[in-house]
């Protein structure tokens, strides 16, 4: 991974380290939020930084389960969009709405982001948002339809993780566990340890769900 | 699973369902080939800074002037009518006007536009640095130019139609910089220039966070390390031909000798990895380029 400002790097890891509140990184999230808040206070026109702040606030919500910070995240995103509409703001808004369980709204924002995506073909980051939203709405078939049909194993983390969640929703626990482990392998290849842990933890959780049912 | 079930789930289980934020690091996504420079430097996408990505670099002459067009940001939503360049973004256009280039190796000539005699010695002699104030207005400073020549730099900064001739980019806009300067101001002892461009934002350590040289080189995953290194270090560290645009201004511009706006580099480079996504294989831009400054077509 290329060098980034340590604060941002921590933020990136935080963003990807879903649910690992025991990693002791909450303080780093707070530092990232403070840094971005200071920057937008001094330079209110810096719309990309407002999106980064919203992303850090979303991570704060994940770590603390305090959803009230999401209101500030939405405010920052609206301010960012007022200054300059961007793909990043649309996508982050979709993620915030997913986490708030406003799944219909998340789909709306994700579809807007899709129009602005720089990716040629399907943008797997958006696919993952949509899969999450449809699963949240209980529309498993709609979620599944978004995933590419291939005889080969997914090579994209987003797709592997999304597939795992779909399989889990379909109660195909063994296959879901395998898909999580595949996601873990992709993360391992990319040297993202927190995601390897998350994927393996998810696989174990799915297996325990299956054992519980039996 | 419905939303009510979801809300009743224990927090640990809920965390397990949330997948969308898991992999903002683009390394986890196989490099979906984004031609030109549109999709390289995945880190910039991962930290939400597509605005610092360089999408295309063109260089040609017009009426005795050197024209350099640098385009940025492949993720501008369609329909956006104005563009505010971020005030923490710094763009540089760099020119080496005295590195010797040979034209006797047919392979190098076809692939790179020539052979740089001493690639480890490439250094910028002229640097145009473009910064943006809080209202997004561009300010250019030039080093390496004679005093009177600095006043002859013509600058455009703003939203333009994406000049990249490629099917998936039709209907899309980019944020572009166009510089025009008398050729005599940049030519020293020889007619050949080496041209490249970089971007920089504070979040990414090091002097460079994205690089653009010859079309369709640094965008390939195997060449991603080029994006944070100076051209001479492409040779010294990576052991490859430096990614610069070779432009012998004594000869007509056209890829790989400089790059015209009308060059269909997808076809000219012909890499199957890029051709695969280009159907129906346009050979001209979807909007007509302008005959005069700033040359790039108006935004869509």
């Amino acid at each position: 991974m290329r060098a980034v400002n340590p604060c941002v790097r921590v933020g990136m890891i935080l963003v990807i380290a879903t649910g690992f509140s025991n990693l002791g990184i909450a303080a780093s999230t707070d530092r990232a939020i403070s840094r971005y808040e200071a920057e937008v206070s001094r330079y209110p026109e810096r719309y990309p930084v407002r999106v980064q702040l919203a992303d850090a606030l979303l991570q704060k919500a994940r770590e603390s389960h305090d959803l009230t910070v999401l209101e500030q995240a939405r405010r920052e995103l609206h301010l960012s969009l007022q200054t300059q509409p961007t793909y990043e703001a649309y996508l982050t808004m979709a993620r915030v709405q997913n986490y708030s369980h406003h799944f219909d709204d998340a789909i709306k924002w994700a579809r807007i982001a899709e129009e602005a995506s720089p990716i040629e073909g399907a943008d797997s980051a958006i696919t993952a948002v949509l899969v999450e939203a449809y699963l949240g709405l209980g529309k498993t078939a709609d979620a599944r339809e978004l995933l590419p049909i291939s005889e080969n194993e997914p090579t994209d983390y987003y797709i592997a993780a999304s597939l795992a969640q779909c399989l889990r929703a379909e109660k195909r626990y063994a296959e879901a566990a395998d898909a999580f482990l595949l996601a873990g392998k992709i993360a391992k290849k990319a040297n993202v340890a927190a995601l390897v842990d998350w994927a393996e933890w998810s696989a174990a959780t799915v297996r325990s769900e299956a054992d519980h049912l039996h | 699973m419905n939303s009510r079930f979801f809300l009743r789930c224990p927090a640990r289980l809920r965390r397990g369902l949330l997948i969308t934020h898991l992999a903002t690091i683009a390394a986890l996504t196989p490099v979906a080939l984004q031609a030109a420079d549109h999709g390289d430097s995945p880190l910039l996408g991962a930290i939400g800074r597509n605005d610092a990505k360089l999408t295309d670099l063109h260089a040609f002459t017009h009426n005795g002037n050197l024209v350099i067009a640098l385009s940025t940001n492949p993720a501008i939503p369609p329909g956006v009518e104005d563009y505010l360049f971020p005030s923490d973004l710094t763009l540089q256009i760099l020119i080496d006007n005295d590195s010797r280039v040979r034209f006797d190796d047919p392979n190098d000539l076809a692939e790179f536009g020539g052979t740089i005699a001493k690639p480890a010695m490439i250094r910028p002699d002229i640097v145009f640095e473009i910064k943006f104030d809080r209202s997004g207005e561009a300010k250019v400073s030039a080093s390496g130019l004679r005093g009177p020549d600095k006043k002859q730099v013509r600058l455009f900064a703003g939203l333009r139609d994406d000049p990249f001739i490629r099917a998936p980019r039709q209907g899309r806009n980019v944020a572009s910089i166009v510089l025009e300067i008398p050729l005599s101001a940049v030519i020293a002892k020889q007619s050949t220039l080496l041209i490249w461009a970089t971007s920089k934002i504070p979040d990414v350590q090091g002097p460079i966070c994205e690089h653009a040289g010859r079309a369709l080189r640094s965008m390939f995953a195997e060449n991603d390390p080029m994006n944070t290194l100076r051209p001479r270090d492409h040779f010294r560290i990576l052991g490859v031909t430096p990614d610069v645009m070779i432009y012998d201004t004594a000869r007509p511009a056209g890829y790989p000798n400089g790059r015209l706006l009308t060059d269909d580099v997808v076809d000219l480079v012909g890499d199957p990895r890029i051709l695969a996504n280009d159907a129906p294989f346009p050979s001209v831009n979807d909007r007509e380029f302008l005959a005069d400054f700033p040359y790039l077509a108006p935004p869509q």
Side-chain angles (χ1 to χ4, degrees):
Chain A
M1 185 186 299
R2 288 159 51 187
V4 293
N5 180 303
C7 188
V8 174
R9 187 169 189 151
V10 167
M12 289 167 63
I13 297 299
L14 288 172
V15 162
I16 60 176
T18 306
F20 281 83
S21 53
N22 59 343
L23 289 179
I25 48 182
S28 300
T29 305
D30 289 339
R31 278 201 299 276
I33 291 170
S34 297
R35 175 173 171 266
Y36 291 136
E37 281 180 334
E39 191 168 346
V40 298
S41 172
R42 189 168 175 198
Y43 303 104
E45 79 285 357
R46 288 193 178 166
Y47 58 92
V49 181
R50 289 196 186 277
V51 178
Q52 290 174 310
L53 172 57
D55 204 36
L57 289 163
L58 175 57
Q59 181 57 31
K60 178 74 178 172
R62 290 176 191 132
E63 292 168 10
S64 64
H65 306 292
D66 174 10
L67 300 187
T68 59
V69 296
L70 295 181
E71 196 46 51
Q72 186 190 350
R74 281 189 206 93
R75 201 161 52 242
E76 294 298 339
L77 289 169
H78 281 301
L79 284 170
S80 179
L81 285 166
Q82 279 171 19
T83 309
Q84 181 72 55
T86 61
Y87 162 78
E88 291 88 348
Y90 292 140
L91 183 58
T92 306
M93 187 68 94
R95 288 171 168 157
V96 167
Q97 295 304 74
N98 257 350
Y99 199 79
S100 310
H101 302 164
H102 298 148
F103 299 116
D104 284 318
D105 210 38
I107 291 168
K108 186 190 84 178
W109 286 104
R111 292 297 183 194
I112 298 171
E114 201 167 31
E115 292 289 307
S117 172
I119 305 294
E120 292 179 1
D123 182 336
S124 61
I126 291 172
T127 299
V129 170
L130 290 169
V131 166
E132 180 176 326
Y134 282 118
L135 288 178
L137 291 168
K139 297 179 177 178
T140 307
D142 290 339
R144 191 59 188 270
E145 259 184 31
L146 293 163
L147 296 173
I149 297 169
S150 170
E151 290 179 2
N152 302 320
E153 287 183 335
T155 54
D156 179 308
Y157 187 92
Y158 283 115
I159 299 301
S162 297
L163 176 63
Q165 299 291 14
C166 281
L167 291 165
R168 180 189 220 169
E170 292 165 359
K171 303 192 190 313
R172 294 160 64 180
Y173 296 112
E175 292 164 87
D178 287 345
F180 277 124
L181 290 176
L182 175 62
K185 280 183 192 168
I186 297 168
K188 195 169 189 175
K189 204 172 168 184
N191 292 320
V192 187
L195 283 186
V196 177
D197 292 345
W198 179 85
E200 290 176 354
W201 172 83
S202 298
T205 304
V206 169
R207 289 215 170 96
S208 73
E209 284 171 20
D211 292 344
H212 181 70
L213 285 175
H214 291 120
Chain B
M1 183 185 297
N2 59 32
S3 57
R4 187 174 295 170
F5 171 81
F6 186 91
L7 289 164
R8 286 203 312 262
C9 285
R12 283 168 64 89
L13 191 55
R14 258 189 285 151
R15 287 197 298 267
L17 183 63
L18 296 166
I19 52 178
T20 57
H21 48 276
L22 286 177
T24 37
I25 287 186
L28 294 165
T29 299
V31 176
L33 275 177
Q34 308 301 312
D37 249 351
H38 287 69
D40 62 355
S41 297
L43 174 66
L44 291 173
I47 64 171
R49 294 302 304 259
N50 277 298
D51 56 275
K53 285 188 178 178
L54 306 179
T55 57
D56 276 300
L57 179 65
H58 296 83
F60 53 93
T61 52
H62 183 256
N63 291 341
N65 291 334
L66 174 67
V67 179
I68 301 177
L70 174 64
S71 295
T72 70
N73 198 348
I76 298 173
V80 165
E81 294 178 351
D82 293 305
Y83 187 76
L84 182 75
F85 284 92
S87 57
D88 60 350
L89 173 67
T90 301
L91 303 172
Q92 287 192 333
I93 294 169
L94 308 100
I95 300 174
D96 176 336
N97 64 8
D98 59 8
S99 276
R100 200 163 62 84
V101 179
R102 300 192 329 261
F103 302 100
D104 55 357
D105 181 324
N107 292 329
D108 279 355
L109 192 60
E111 188 171 359
F112 304 117
T115 306
I116 301 164
K118 294 182 179 175
M121 300 299 287
I122 296 172
R123 281 184 176 76
D125 300 296
I126 298 166
V127 178
F128 297 98
E129 183 167 280
I130 301 103
K131 292 189 168 197
F132 307 91
D133 68 14
R134 298 178 69 169
S135 64
E137 190 178 340
K139 307 283 183 192
V140 61
S141 61
S143 62
L145 287 182
R146 293 177 294 269
D149 291 333
K150 288 183 181 178
K151 293 178 182 168
Q152 299 196 61
V153 179
R154 196 173 182 190
L155 172 70
F156 169 87
L159 199 63
R160 293 277 102 180
D161 169 63
D162 189 343
F164 189 37
I165 299 168
R166 181 164 177 78
R169 296 302 300 176
Q170 291 184 341
R172 298 297 299 265
N173 294 324
V174 287
S176 299
I177 300 293
V178 184
L179 290 177
E180 184 166 2
I181 184 166
L183 187 58
S184 58
V186 295
I187 292 292
K189 301 170 190 165
Q190 60 182 32
S191 59
T192 301
L193 305 172
L194 307 183
I195 303 170
W196 68 100
T198 64
S199 73
K200 169 73 183 154
I201 52 171
D203 277 348
V204 179
Q205 292 176 338
I208 302 168
C209 63
E210 162 78 303
H211 165 96
R214 198 214 70 176
L216 302 177
R217 271 200 80 195
S218 62
M219 45 73 68
F220 285 113
E222 66 268 22
N223 291 335
D224 191 50
M226 288 177 173
N227 284 300
T228 49
L229 295 172
R230 295 176 178 88
R232 63 175 178 269
D233 292 330
H234 297 171
F235 178 76
R236 295 198 300 197
I237 296 173
L238 304 176
V240 298
T241 300
D243 182 26
V244 294
M245 181 190 293
I246 295 174
Y247 181 21
D248 178 5
T249 57
R251 294 187 291 129
Y255 174 92
N257 185 50
R259 183 178 169 193
L260 293 168
L261 294 174
T262 49
D263 284 340
D264 179 6
V265 291
V266 172
D267 282 0
L268 290 166
V269 173
D271 189 303
R273 293 175 292 179
I274 310 162
L275 286 168
N277 289 343
D278 193 35
F281 309 105
S283 56
V284 295
N285 195 38
D286 53 338
R287 295 205 90 173
E288 198 169 339
F289 295 115
L290 305 178
D292 294 304
F293 191 82
Y295 307 101
L296 295 169
Q300 309 217 29

